[in-house]
Amino acid sequence: MVAGGRDAADDVTTDEIEAAMRDVAQLGGFFALDTVRGPASGEGRLTPDGFAALARTVNERYGTAEARIGVSVAHLGLAARLWSPVLACALVHGVVPVMDTVEWAGNGSALRLAGPRGRRAARPIAASADAVAAQADGVLQRVESHLPAKVAPRLLAGNSASALVGSAAQLLRSRPGLRGPLTELTGALLVTGRLRGTGRITGPGLTFRRRSCCLYYRVPGGSTCGDCCLIR
C-alpha cells in the first residue's frame, strides 16, 4: 500500500492521463491543458514572480493601479485553469490528474502539466471530492502563499468556488448527460475545506451566488459579475 492507504493499482499510465487531457481539451477554453513528458523545467513552475507578472498584466489591461484588483482577477483566471481540466477528467474519464508539476506555458496565463500522472477517481464520484480539491484548490493555495498584494482569504476562497462552479456549468452545457454526477461532485466540493460557506448553487444550470466579490467592479468601466454578492 502507498501513503494514504491507496494501492498502486489506483495509478493510471502516462498514456491514459494524456489521452484524457487531450479529450477534455476539446471542450475548449480553460479545459485545455497541454502536457509534456519529463520532469518540470523548474523555470516554468508556478512561481511568485510569474504570478506577480500576470497580475501586473491584468492591471495594465484594465488601466488600474490598485494591485489587489490585478491579483484577484489573475487569481480567478488561474483557478479556472486548474479546476476545469481536473473536474472534467474526473467526471468524463474517471481519473484525477496530479497537478504538482503544473507550470506556466510561456509568458501568458496558459498552463501545461509536466510529467503527467494521475489516480483513479473514487466511486461514487462525490467520494473523490477531497482528491479533486487537492489537485485544483490545493495548488491554488500554494500560489496564494506568496501573493504580491494582500487580498482577503475569503475573497480568494470565493474566487476558487466561483471558478469551480463556472467550470462545472460549462461542462454541463457541453456534456448534459453528466448532470447527475457533475451536480453531485460540485455540491460535495462546495463543502470541502475552505470552500465551505463560500456561496450556493441557485439553479439547475449550476448558476451560483458567491458570498464575496472578486473586485472586478472596481476597474474603470467594470461591473459586477453574474455570481457576485453585490447584485441585488
Side-chain angles (χ1 to χ4, degrees):
M1 296 291 286
V2 296
R6 298 194 65 174
D7 192 275
D10 290 331
D11 291 330
V12 298
T13 67
T14 297
D15 287 344
E16 186 174 353
I17 198 69
E18 284 183 330
M21 300 195 81
R22 282 196 302 270
D23 180 57
V24 302
Q26 296 180 54
L27 296 168
F30 295 125
F31 292 94
L33 178 62
D34 287 339
T35 61
V36 56
R37 296 210 177 192
S41 66
E43 296 178 0
R45 65 184 183 275
L46 300 188
T47 59
D49 287 347
F51 182 83
L54 184 60
R56 287 194 299 270
T57 298
V58 171
N59 279 111
E60 292 166 2
R61 180 186 308 142
Y62 291 116
T64 177
E66 189 173 350
R68 65 185 185 130
I69 294 176
V71 167
S72 178
V73 174
H75 174 269
L76 184 58
L78 176 59
R81 291 185 183 279
L82 293 169
W83 277 114
S84 296
V86 176
L87 191 68
C89 282
L91 284 155
V92 178
H93 292 281
V95 298
V96 180
V98 174
M99 301 289 278
D100 290 347
T101 55
V102 70
E103 57 185 18
W104 304 115
N107 295 324
S109 59
L111 305 178
R112 67 184 179 190
L113 187 62
R117 55 197 176 91
R119 309 301 302 271
R120 299 282 174 207
R123 290 291 183 266
I125 193 62
S128 288
D130 286 339
V132 171
Q135 301 308 329
D137 195 51
V139 172
L140 190 65
Q141 289 184 71
R142 290 198 287 277
V143 174
E144 291 167 17
S145 65
H146 296 89
L147 293 178
K150 184 175 178 58
V151 179
R154 291 310 290 168
L155 184 156
L156 297 173
N159 278 356
S160 184
S162 178
L164 158 65
V165 182
S167 298
Q170 179 60 45
L171 183 56
L172 178 61
R173 288 190 288 271
S174 299
R175 303 287 179 90
L178 291 174
R179 175 179 295 277
L182 175 54
T183 302
E184 181 183 359
L185 178 57
T186 304
L189 286 164
L190 287 174
V191 294
T192 297
R194 67 167 180 170
L195 300 190
R196 182 183 293 273
T198 52
R200 61 187 178 88
I201 293 174
T202 59
L206 295 181
T207 50
F208 185 62
R209 178 61 57 89
R210 59 185 287 180
R211 294 194 172 98
S212 60
C213 174
C214 73
L215 305 179
Y216 178 71
Y217 81 99
R218 294 180 64 87
V219 308
S223 60
T224 54
C225 303
D227 63 359
C228 186
C229 64
L230 302 178
I231 297 175
R232 293 289 183 262

